[in-house]
Amino acid sequence: MNFRKKQTLAFIFVFFFSISFSQTTSSDSLRGEFTYLLQYRPNTLSRENVSKELFSLQISDKRAFFTSENKLKFDSIFAEQFNSKRNGFNIDMRGLPPSKFKFLIIQTNDNSQFYEAVGMTLLSYNNPVIRDWKLIDETKVINSINCKKAVVSYKGREWTAWYSTEIPFPYGPYKFSGLPGLIVKITDKTGDYDFELVKSVSSSKLKGKVVRINEARYHNAKLVTKEELIQATKNFRENAKYELERMGTVFSDDQNKQKTSETEKKGYNPIELE
């Protein structure tokens, strides 16, 4: 890709984020801050391949924010670089940490709202809080935390959760909430997805702090269905490839890469199966 094409794409990227990061940040006071480790198998045909990523769950008085730690770092580093180079155009993308999970989920007592940017459009869809948890008379100590067991069938997977009433927040990782205590660990029956609490910040250290999620990640989102968001993402990727080809970018038709791509598609293993 030549210099002019790189400049064009970079300009679009920076223009979008300069608008986003000019907005004020959330004033939600922090009541709890927790870090979860997700271990998952992205492809069922390569079960030895286990990926990992850290996620942040930030809880305020009436809602909880769940997003990738790398996404938070990306926002922070980008904002720092953009503000320090406001009169220049050079943004060093090499220092920005990658994440395979671009979404933000905001949980309340009534629902979980899913947010994701598709191109320059912020889309969102709604899920009701899980109400059909089955509480099991079984306990376990996980990372020195006393936990109780609950199970649920959700989006094509059977999940086992361990929650603690000693941490009285009805939230957990991803869209999992509605239990009488914080979810400490939740695993699907196949072991393909596992979230576990690995770090928490004591309440004494949260005084005066606010949720570290930029409001641009969830304000003024267009409400759609989950299916519409998936289709919009597919359309955007196809259009982006077309624009790059129109600008002269040549994509390799290497047969081995095509075969790998087909294998990845056949074994694609999303967290929600339906």
Side-chain angles (χ1 to χ4, degrees):
M1 191 183 297
N2 65 30
F3 177 73
R4 182 177 293 276
K5 294 165 193 168
K6 287 183 179 179
Q7 269 204 324
T8 301
L9 292 176
F11 175 78
I12 294 172
F13 182 84
V14 173
F15 176 75
F16 173 65
F17 277 95
S18 66
I19 294 174
S20 298
F21 285 95
S22 66
Q23 301 182 35
T24 57
T25 54
S26 171
S27 60
D28 287 70
S29 296
L30 265 178
R31 296 291 178 264
E33 185 171 11
F34 305 92
T35 301
Y36 289 86
L37 172 63
L38 168 63
Q39 300 187 73
Y40 68 102
R41 293 186 176 91
N43 193 289
T44 56
L45 300 182
S46 303
R47 298 194 61 80
E48 71 285 353
N49 177 25
V50 177
S51 297
K52 300 179 181 181
E53 188 154 345
L54 292 172
F55 286 81
S56 171
L57 179 68
Q58 300 176 45
I59 300 174
S60 65
D61 289 322
K62 296 182 179 179
R63 54 184 180 173
F65 300 74
F66 183 78
T67 191
S68 163
E69 286 275 6
N70 277 351
K71 197 76 175 70
L72 287 177
K73 292 175 184 176
F74 178 98
D75 291 353
S76 177
I77 295 173
F78 185 93
E80 181 181 346
Q81 288 197 25
F82 179 79
N83 290 331
S84 66
K85 300 178 180 180
R86 190 172 288 275
N87 295 324
F89 186 66
N90 249 340
I91 299 292
D92 185 2
M93 307 296 288
R94 292 171 299 178
L96 301 179
S99 172
K100 294 185 178 180
F101 302 93
K102 313 297 184 184
F103 62 77
L104 165 70
I105 295 174
I106 299 180
Q107 303 174 359
T108 67
N109 289 331
D110 301 314
N111 59 40
S112 65
Q113 197 80 20
F114 185 100
Y115 298 85
E116 187 166 350
V118 179
M120 296 178 67
T121 304
L122 182 63
L123 302 180
S124 175
Y125 67 85
N126 186 283
N127 285 112
V129 167
I130 300 171
R131 302 291 186 188
D132 53 348
W133 289 101
K134 182 180 179 182
L135 305 185
I136 308 295
D137 186 18
E138 188 175 337
T139 61
K140 179 189 289 189
V141 177
I142 300 175
N143 297 332
S144 302
I145 302 171
N146 295 317
C147 300
K148 297 181 180 181
K149 185 178 181 180
V151 296
V152 71
S153 178
Y154 186 73
K155 303 296 183 181
R157 293 184 185 272
E158 302 295 323
W159 294 89
T160 296
W162 294 93
Y163 66 97
S164 176
T165 55
E166 297 175 356
I167 310 174
F169 294 118
Y171 305 116
Y174 193 58
K175 300 175 183 177
F176 299 108
S177 62
L179 285 169
L182 185 77
I183 295 175
V184 174
K185 184 178 178 67
I186 184 165
T187 310
D188 88 299
K189 187 177 182 180
T190 64
D192 287 349
Y193 281 83
D194 176 271
F195 292 94
E196 183 169 340
L197 179 65
V198 293
K199 180 183 176 182
S200 62
V201 178
S202 65
S203 57
S204 62
K205 295 182 179 180
L206 298 179
K207 292 180 180 179
K209 294 189 176 182
V210 297
V211 169
R212 296 176 293 111
I213 305 290
N214 193 285
E215 290 186 350
R217 295 296 182 199
Y218 57 91
H219 269 193
N220 301 318
K222 179 181 179 182
L223 190 63
V224 296
T225 65
K226 177 185 174 183
E227 291 72 25
E228 288 171 334
L229 189 148
I230 292 172
Q231 187 60 49
T233 302
K234 181 180 178 182
N235 292 344
F236 173 76
R237 287 173 179 167
E238 291 176 351
N239 290 337
K241 183 174 183 292
Y242 169 77
E243 288 300 323
L244 288 171
E245 289 175 332
R246 190 173 66 84
M247 292 165 66
T249 303
V250 177
F251 291 90
S252 172
D253 289 327
D254 183 88
Q255 292 299 315
N256 290 328
K257 289 185 178 179
Q258 285 188 348
K259 289 179 181 179
T260 301
S261 177
E262 288 302 313
T263 300
E264 289 175 353
K265 289 179 182 179
K266 289 178 182 178
Y268 178 52
N269 191 27
I271 189 170
E272 295 184 13
L273 297 177
E274 58 183 39

